[in-house]
Amino acid sequence: MAVITISREIYSDGSHIGEKVAEKLGYHFADKNTIEKVFAEHSIFQFKEVYNTVLGFWERFDDMRSTTVRFLNQVILALAHHGNMVIVGRGAFSVLGEFADVLNVRIQAPFAIRAHRLMENESIADIDQASLVLKERDRTRAEFIKSFFKVQWVDALPASAFDLVIDTGKIPSDMAIRWLIEAHEALKQPRAGSQTLINTIEVDPVLVGTVSEVLGCKVKH
């Protein structure tokens, strides 16, 4: 019932890699759409607004934001509790960082490469405009991670936050997919010593049911 989290820079190809890994492993794939569906089932609709808003210092303590992120943490734990899961984004690497059977992966690429990918995918003709758009999106994402998971995204060290870091500016996506699957297989090997495993996660039964319904799977793996 191992879990893979993928934290990715915008246009690093991380979502595509996550989908393909899930497909090849026969795992569930959970992204922002999955999480927003769980929120909606619990009549919480402000997640997208909270995630996409960069706030000043005092505004970070807003009750709505704090409540939303607490629930997000519970949703991520519930997804991991369900098992056989690839979770993309939303700070999952931080929430699940203590579990020995979770593979935390960062997918990144040089800014210039990501800017050109943005131009191609969003029909932006000017590189300067594409760079401004990308910088703003990077800033918003970094602010969310820093504010609520106490991680400095741009300075996060692989040794402390991630088990595997892949630069798709150098490593082709097909190779990255193979690496993730191989690393996932290594998690199945028994290790000595005391470990915290995802089968110890305790989740509200109502939330467990919601996650199963959204995934279309009643089986806990």
Side-chain angles (χ1 to χ4, degrees):
M1 60 182 297
V3 172
I4 299 171
T5 75
I6 297 181
S7 302
R8 77 275 186 252
E9 291 183 318
I10 299 165
Y11 283 113
S12 65
D13 214 19
S15 293
H16 167 74
I17 291 169
E19 283 188 273
K20 289 300 181 182
V21 168
E23 180 183 312
K24 289 180 180 295
L25 292 174
Y27 277 19
H28 297 290
F29 177 75
D31 62 0
K32 64 177 182 179
N33 296 322
T34 310
I35 292 172
E36 285 172 6
K37 287 177 183 177
V38 175
F39 268 68
E41 288 293 324
H42 287 259
S43 300
I44 303 175
F45 300 100
Q46 69 267 28
F47 175 65
K48 186 181 296 185
E49 176 186 350
V50 167
Y51 185 83
N52 289 323
T53 302
V54 176
L55 299 180
F57 178 82
W58 292 111
E59 292 172 300
R60 292 175 188 162
F61 297 94
D62 177 80
D63 287 342
M64 182 189 76
R65 287 173 64 86
S66 298
T67 299
T68 300
V69 173
R70 279 197 298 271
F71 187 69
L72 170 61
N73 291 352
Q74 292 303 309
V75 172
I76 291 170
L77 287 170
L79 289 167
H81 176 270
H82 187 89
N84 290 6
M85 191 76 57
V86 176
I87 307 173
V88 171
R90 288 0 188 210
F93 76 94
S94 182
V95 180
L96 302 175
E98 67 177 293
F99 297 97
D101 48 353
V102 174
L103 180 69
N104 293 301
V105 180
R106 181 182 181 183
I107 306 295
Q108 60 188 31
F111 184 88
I113 290 176
R114 295 190 295 122
H116 278 94
R117 288 174 181 171
L118 187 152
M119 289 176 67
E120 293 172 4
N121 283 272
E122 301 188 22
S123 300
I124 297 177
D126 182 68
I127 185 61
D128 291 335
Q129 181 184 353
S131 297
L132 287 173
V133 170
L134 186 57
K135 285 179 182 178
E136 180 60 26
R137 293 182 188 175
D138 280 349
R139 188 170 72 95
T140 299
R141 179 170 294 179
E143 181 71 15
F144 178 84
I145 297 297
K146 180 181 176 181
S147 298
F148 291 99
F149 299 106
K150 308 307 178 186
V151 173
Q152 186 71 35
W153 174 250
V154 295
D155 295 330
L157 297 176
S160 62
F162 303 101
D163 306 303
L164 182 62
V165 178
I166 298 176
D167 182 344
T168 58
K170 298 179 179 178
I171 305 302
S173 292
D174 288 348
M175 184 180 290
I177 292 165
R178 292 198 300 272
W179 285 4
L180 263 65
I181 292 173
E182 290 175 5
H184 162 269
E185 289 299 318
L187 289 183
K188 297 180 180 179
Q189 303 302 318
R191 292 172 172 79
S194 176
Q195 295 178 305
T196 304
L197 304 176
I198 55 178
N199 62 11
T200 63
I201 296 174
E202 296 183 5
V203 184
D204 182 345
V206 175
L207 187 53
V208 169
T210 303
V211 166
S212 293
E213 186 173 337
V214 168
L215 295 173
C217 176
K218 300 295 184 181
V219 179
K220 179 179 179 292
H221 303 287

